[in-house]
Amino acid sequence: MAIPWEGPAVGLMDLDAFFASVEQLDHPEWRGKPLIVGGSAERRGVVSTASYEARKYGVHSAMPSYQAKRLCPQAIWTHGHYGRYREMSDKVMAIVADETPRLEQVSIDEAFFDVTPGRYSKESPVDICRRIQARVAELGITCSIGLGVNKTVAKIASERQKPRGLTVVLPGLEAAFLAPLPVRSMSGIGSATGTRLEEMGIRTLGELARQDPKRMERAFGVFGPRMVERAAGRERSVVRAIDEPEDVKSVSNERTFARDLTTEAEVRAAIDHVSALVGTRLRRKELRGSQVTLKLKFDIHHTHTVQRQLSHRTDDEHVFGSVAQELLPQIWSEGTPVRLVGVGVSSFDHDAGEQLSLFGETTNEEAPSKDLRKLSVAADEVRKRFGAGALSYGRDLRFRDGTSDTMPTGKFDAQ
């Protein structure tokens, strides 16, 4: 019997232990055994995905590989095969797209979808979710789905029962579903925000939902009232159609190094290396941004970032990379060990304003070099036609064997 549904119906499909599941599909001898997809402990790798057999030992995504190896020494390890995961992901997304054109992929293994009754189908949203799960299972992998009236409810529901779970929060029950859950179960509430909320005596989403939005705005800015609305289940979500342009907030890249960088020459070379990766991605996406972020991680617990707003938007690493170089002295002094370097570009959708740095200082940007940008565009084309390894600068070769061997897990491409 179909479950009646009135109003919006938003689902979140999450592929179960995706990378590990694909590896076990392709290697039947690995099924039922603890499997870890990730970088090596010797090169400061991290866990990308762990099979459920490995998770029983406490292994989880983003865990340092050395720690995972200690917890589960008998695990099978693989660095992963991104092209294969991309292929399987495309097949899964095609299944969902058969059910609704409102499909918003948020990562290689996650997607929101809109199955509101009467919009594209007269079927019950629950029946559609069950059919999606069955069709995904025919591929040899499984997924969990959360279904509710908005993205917040769907996301949290998708994590309630894994693997192969289908958690349905019927319209009108979202507030009761959310109320007993800890505040950190809601996406967007990280460690710092969660700690601040707990210091304010707010530990559950129900307590958060009862807060005065003005009080929360004073404490958290515009994010405060938004948290209250989401915790109460009142969020109104729009799932982007497949053919609608993606609302990209930022494009960034980072590299973890097998050996700490300690000299200025090493750190600056790393900034150039990572900036070039970001430039390639920006041009591929046809995006130009006006805010530059430099990120350095000194050890597992200490990360520093600094930003500057440019006077114009750019996709040229010779421009924003030069700014990242200028920002370096604000967060680093020579001799301090650096294990990770990251560069990001954002602010794509509005005009750039006054040049500002995180510390209130301003400096002149390096004038754009049209010739150098043309060289970068030509290099992009060579790599597109003949592969990522077809052309490398000296700065790239310098770090080819010196970075973590953890496979990238981004939505769009292996980097």
Side-chain angles (χ1 to χ4, degrees), residues 338-385:
V338 174
R339 65 180 294 152
L340 176 148
V341 172
V343 175
V345 174
S346 56
S347 296
F348 304 120
D349 55 354
H350 55 78
D351 293 333
E354 178 184 5
Q355 284 187 40
L356 295 173
S357 81
L358 193 63
F359 298 95
E361 300 173 356
T362 62
T363 58
N364 293 326
E365 302 161 23
E366 179 179 316
S369 169
K370 293 182 180 180
D371 290 339
L372 288 175
R373 185 183 182 280
K374 289 179 180 178
L375 181 62
S376 295
V377 171
D380 293 344
E381 185 61 29
V382 170
R383 296 190 187 102
K384 181 179 179 181
R385 293 182 61 187

Side-chain angles (χ1 to χ4, degrees), residues 151-302:
K151 288 181 177 179
T152 294
V153 173
K155 171 64 175 175
I156 295 176
S158 72
E159 298 168 351
R160 295 299 96 185
Q161 302 179 66
K162 293 179 73 65
R164 304 179 185 87
L166 173 56
T167 302
V168 178
V169 183
L170 293 172
L173 300 181
E174 49 273 3
F177 168 73
L178 296 170
L181 302 177
V183 291
R184 297 179 193 232
S185 63
M186 191 166 74
S187 60
I189 297 182
S191 177
T193 302
T195 299
R196 180 79 183 281
L197 287 169
E198 290 161 4
E199 290 173 348
M200 297 170 66
I202 304 169
R203 292 178 172 79
T204 68
L205 292 178
E207 292 169 341
L208 178 56
R210 293 190 293 271
Q211 298 302 307
D212 180 354
K214 292 183 178 179
R215 178 199 181 205
M216 299 302 291
E217 185 173 17
R218 289 193 295 270
F220 298 97
V222 294
F223 183 55
R226 173 75 169 150
M227 285 194 296
V228 174
E229 179 184 56
R230 294 177 64 206
R234 297 194 299 267
E235 175 190 47
R236 298 180 65 86
S237 301
V238 175
V239 179
R240 191 176 63 249
I242 296 171
D243 56 355
E244 287 181 14
E246 184 191 13
D247 183 20
V248 180
K249 301 298 184 183
S250 66
V251 172
S252 62
N253 214 312
E254 57 187 39
R255 284 291 183 264
T256 299
F257 301 96
R259 176 185 60 80
D260 285 343
L261 311 180
T262 56
T263 69
E264 182 174 357
E266 288 176 325
V267 177
R268 290 193 179 278
I271 292 173
D272 285 342
H273 170 63
V274 177
S275 295
L277 297 173
V278 175
T280 297
R281 295 186 67 199
L282 285 168
R283 291 185 291 274
R284 184 182 301 135
K285 299 172 187 291
E286 299 183 347
L287 292 171
R288 294 176 182 237
S290 60
Q291 181 165 274
V292 181
T293 300
L294 174 66
K295 171 182 175 182
L296 299 182
K297 179 176 283 190
F298 303 132
D299 55 48
I300 202 73
H301 301 295
H302 296 90

